[in-house]
């Protein structure tokens, strides 16, 4: 197994596991080699930034809402399932408001009070970061 370090703060471990199948009728005459690629990361993934401002939305009380956590959804701030293809380690945050209300939902995806905006988008690391732009290819 091989270990590859890409950056000091990212710890990627990649490798190849190989084994030979010995359950064949004649294992010495017909060895079958199997190979499995493995990749692990100990650092949680970071979402892309679809907007540097919050979204003002009308929430319906008692209805389930799914807030996008990955940033790839085309229906921001709500999830459209884009994480299933583009960011498999993310899942939407599902929540039920108690009553009908208007709320500001986070657009930068770095809030400390998800799904609600807490002003994190005003911090330097968000202001200086590029916005995610969808490539239609």
């Amino acid at each position: 197994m091989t270990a590859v370090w890409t950056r000091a703060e990212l710890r990627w471990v990649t490798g190849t596991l190989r084994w030979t199948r010995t359950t064949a009728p004649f294992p010495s005459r017909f060895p079958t080699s199997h190979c499995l690629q493995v990749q692990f990361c100990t650092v949680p993934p970071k979402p892309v930034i679809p907007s540097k401002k919050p979204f003002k939305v009308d929430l319906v009380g008692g209805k389930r809402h799914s807030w996008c956590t990955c940033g790839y959804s085309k229906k921001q701030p709500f999830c459209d399932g884009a994480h299933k293809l583009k960011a498999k380690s993310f899942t939407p945050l599902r929540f039920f408001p108690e009553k009908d209300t208007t709320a500001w939902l986070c657009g930068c995806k770095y809030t400390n009070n998800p799904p609600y905006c807490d002003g994190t988008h005003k911090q330097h690391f968000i202001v200086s970061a590029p916005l995610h732009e969808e490539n239609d290819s």
Side-chain angles (χ1 to χ4, degrees), residues 3-57:
V4 178
W5 303 98
T6 57
R7 293 166 85 187
E9 68 273 5
L10 293 179
R11 294 192 175 123
W12 286 99
V13 178
T14 60
T16 303
L17 302 176
R18 295 181 189 274
W19 69 94
T20 302
R21 190 171 102 180
T22 57
T23 57
F26 305 102
S28 60
R29 295 171 88 187
F30 305 105
T32 305
S33 182
H34 299 277
C35 183
L36 174 66
Q37 291 290 328
V38 181
Q39 184 174 27
F40 300 104
C41 181
T42 58
V43 178
K46 294 182 180 180
V48 296
I49 302 172
S51 174
K52 293 185 182 181
K53 295 181 181 179
F55 295 93
K56 184 178 181 180
V57 295

Side-chain angles (χ1 to χ4, degrees), residues 71-85:
Y72 288 103
S73 174
K74 292 184 179 179
K75 295 182 178 179
Q76 290 294 336
F78 299 109
C79 179
D80 67 357
H83 63 276
K84 294 175 185 175
L85 296 174

